[in-house]
Amino acid sequence: MTGAVIPPEDSSSISYKLKRDVGGFVGRWQIWWQRKRFRWVVYAAGVLMLFLALFWAVFARNLPNAEALIEYESPLPTVVRDVNGEPFQSYARERRVQLEYADFPRLLIRAYLAAEDKTFFSHGGIDYPGIASAVFANIFSSGRSRGASTITQQVAKNLLLTNEYSYTRKVKEAILAKRIEGALTKPQILSLYLNEIALGRQSFGVEAAAQAYFGKSVDQLVLHEMAFLAILPKAPERYGRAKNVDAAITRRNWVLGEMFANGWITETQLTQARAQPLGLIKQRGTGYKNIGGYFTEEVRRELIEKFGETDKEGPYSVYAGGLWVRTSMHPEYQKLTTQALRDGLLRYNAGKAWKANMGTIDVSDDNWASRFASTNISIDYANWRAGVALGKNRVGFADGSVGLLNGGPAAMRAGDVIAVVPNGGSSYSVRTVPEVGGGMVVQNPLNGRVLAVQGGFDNRISSFNRATQAQRQPGSTIKPFVYATALDNGMTPTSIIVDGPYCVWQGASLGQKCFRNFSGSGAGPQTMRWGLEQSRNLMTVRAAADSGMDNVTDTFRAMGIGDYPDYLAYALGAGDTTVLKMVNAYSMLVNHGRELKPTLIDFVQNRNGKVILPAKWKPCKRCRAKDWDGKPMPRFVATGKQLMDPITAYQTVHMLEGVIQRGTATILRDLDRPLFGKTGTTTGPTNVWFIGGSPHLVAGLYLGYDQPRNMGGYAQGGSLAAPVFKQFARTAMAGMPKTPFVAPYGTRLVRIDRKSGKRVYGSWPGDDPKSAVIWEAFKAETEPKRSIRREDLEARGDKPKKKKSSSSDSSSRSSGTPQGPSAGTKRDQEFIQQEGGIY
């Protein structure tokens, strides 16, 4: 049909799309996004970015900074040196000696490269062919997974990561290895490895291992020994044991073969080295001298208090800081102190019943040896050994060996730790370690340096240091400071004090207190000197009361003895103190009352040699010069406060010389040198003391049970403690000049009658210690004005020393020169001039 209109199709089947023409990057992105390939690239990049983010979050986040290894310092032990600079002890939990790269022999380095990482100098921290080989081997192997860690990765694990065995740690190792290679050179990385690697026998680093396994330094090792050390990183506790010697030799020979394959040794060297036995030495101690255990422990306590114990507490810690500590310990004096105190303890203990006082362990099974070894109990006295009673007359030792006991005390039980001595063969006899304890200190009174410390029989039996830690009553050794207070409050050495009954009312709560002498009787009026020489309690209490007990306790505090209440009993030594404090107080008397602080440490150096203690330490560069260089000599000014009048201190020392000559310590008189000292015996008696010495050396000690109890009525300071000092001094002072104690400026030395305290004219002190006339020290204008004449002394029965006649004396007498007091005064002046003045 013509002219018909054709209707349009259904509009719902038609779609329209509007497209806006956008320019720039967005427009280009829209065009690119239309391409399927571009979209796949974007998706892949997104997945990669997500993977890297997850990888970083899981593995790389919070990893240590590899650049920290540039400044890394290995944990090193602290080495302790004596007064001569010789090392005698160290504080270490790990054996480690740090070396520079140039110190390692080239052949030793190649041995480790052959065993651990042949391509070390060519890879970038990760050995990719090695990893592929390890993966292939692990797929087709049913044993333990084979590793492919390079030396760089091992450094990362040892220094920056933990020892956790996982693939996560391996990935972290690889990341850190790449960072380390970028921060350090190859020699630096190898030095860290060779100084830090754990090699068994508590050894870290090849130098410490060389000492532990062969007793040599690395520069003394031969080829087969180097190869053995190179196998240890894989399994140090296995290859280092004697029972695994065959496995160790097999592994060592494999390393030698690898070195030959790499052209690092010749075939002759290979054959000779493979033919050698391992040659390991038995595991041994530190190699330091076994001396001064109590001294070194006291030093350790001081260092820990100052610097801390581990590296977490600071860079100069005791067990990681690598400190060099110069102490004041005199090795010879320390040996003499140790021997003298031990012998004194044994003398007192002789004849007493045996007691188990070294501890007990369980011996019910075969593990007794390891239990005993873990106690670290041992003895170094004479040929004694520490063992454990196993029953049936058998004794066992820490190394697992067993011997026979030649009898034994009935009180001994299986499990008791005992001391024995060999009788020959495998037979032993039991010895008694004294139950009584004691402590002894030796000090230089001119500077306060402590030269020796012994705090008991043996520090490996008991580490409690009785010389510095035990709080004991000093008894009569405190009396010199009571009399020093009296001298500062108007008395003199010739002051008369009544040695008679003395009681005081101490209040309603305490009632009346009456004092008594050790002997129980009194001697009437006597000089202060006599009271100190004879250690009279009643005279001491009277002197304290007359001086004011508050003044006496002030003296105790000033001299560092102790802080006590103002009760008269403390004038007789009722308060607690330590041997170290008492010896230091006596040293200050010798030092003319000037303050001293006891020191065991002279100075401390860090690992680089810088002195870090004391803070203001300065070296005296010219003090040790061999010859005088013509310049002014180094001079040292006195340090410390003046705690006591110098003349008072000298007067006290001068009276204490009489204790040696005529008093309670006459056992020391035959040492035949200027000595001062004081004995002490506390109520019971529970403690016996002696403190004294010469102008250059002061020593003190006490003996007593750790839980104070009666030592027996015969126990006195003069009979038990003074002989210990004598044994020490006889050898220690043998080479010293017999120097007298020097009086400070202003001291007046006057001849007096020893018994009455009156001034003497016409007579002179004799050589006899009990001479009637002696020299006495006075402050200016305090010397006695009244005199006693020769005829009075002769009438009394004393025989003063007569001055030898000279030609001048004869002419004086013949010319009628007066012979009375004026003549005596003239002779005094002549004597002073002859002696060069009063010191």
Side-chain angles (χ1 to χ4, degrees), residues 7 35 59 99 102 112 210 220 223 231 245 247 339 345 372 416 436 441 524 531 651 664 745 770 789 795 811 825:
R35 302 170 185 173
F59 297 107
L99 300 179
Y112 274 93
Q220 299 172 322
L223 178 58
I231 73 174
V245 61
Q339 188 68 36
L345 296 173
F372 182 40
D416 287 340
V436 68
V441 172
Q651 287 177 300
T664 57
Y745 178 79
K770 295 185 178 181
R789 298 179 182 274
S811 60
T825 303

Side-chain angles (χ1 to χ4, degrees), residues 72 74-76 96-105 108-109 187-196 204-211 216-221 229 607:
Y72 176 79
S74 301
L76 294 178
R96 181 183 276 109
V97 180
Q98 191 171 18
L99 300 179
E100 299 294 332
Y101 180 75
D103 297 325
F104 297 106
L108 176 65
I109 293 175
Q188 287 175 323
I189 296 171
L190 202 52
S191 293
L192 284 173
Y193 176 77
L194 294 175
N195 280 318
E196 294 296 322
F204 290 77
V206 294
E207 173 64 20
Q211 296 287 351
K216 302 178 180 179
S217 186
V218 290
D219 60 348
Q220 299 172 322
L221 296 173
L229 294 181
R607 67 177 68 205

Side-chain angles (χ1 to χ4, degrees), residues 438-469:
M440 185 171 179
V441 172
V442 180
Q443 186 179 29
N444 185 329
L446 304 180
N447 51 35
R449 297 168 74 205
V450 177
L451 306 177
V453 173
Q454 185 66 16
F457 190 80
D458 197 311
N459 68 297
R460 286 156 299 182
I461 298 175
S462 171
S463 61
F464 180 64
N465 192 335
R466 295 157 188 83
T468 61
Q469 294 176 300

Side-chain angles (χ1 to χ4, degrees), residues 463-479:
S463 61
F464 180 64
N465 192 335
R466 295 157 188 83
T468 61
Q469 294 176 300
Q471 297 288 332
R472 313 295 289 201
Q473 292 182 348
S476 296
T477 58
I478 209 169
K479 290 178 180 177

Side-chain angles (χ1 to χ4, degrees), residues 764 790 801-813 819 827:
W764 296 84
R790 176 193 296 272
K801 178 182 177 182
K802 295 182 179 180
K803 185 180 179 182
K804 294 181 179 180
S805 298
S806 63
S807 58
S808 59
D809 293 338
S810 301
S811 60
S812 297
R813 286 192 293 270
Q819 302 296 315
R827 286 195 292 271

Side-chain angles (χ1 to χ4, degrees), residues 749-751 759-764 775 803 821-835 838:
L749 293 176
V750 177
R751 291 171 292 161
R759 191 165 185 168
V760 172
Y761 294 96
S763 296
W764 296 84
W775 288 106
K803 185 180 179 182
S822 60
T825 303
K826 182 178 179 181
R827 286 195 292 271
D828 288 348
Q829 296 300 324
E830 292 173 351
F831 173 79
I832 291 173
Q833 292 176 4
Q834 292 171 4
E835 295 296 319
I838 299 297

Side-chain angles (χ1 to χ4, degrees), residues 354 360-365 368 387-397 401-418 420 426 428 430:
W354 183 90
T360 59
I361 64 170
D362 181 12
V363 294
S364 60
D365 55 34
W368 59 265
V388 56
L390 300 177
K392 299 181 180 179
N393 289 330
R394 295 180 304 144
V395 58
F397 301 101
S401 61
V402 178
L404 297 177
L405 286 176
N406 184 15
M412 186 174 63
R413 298 290 182 268
D416 287 340
V417 179
I418 59 176
V420 297
S426 60
Y428 296 86
V430 179

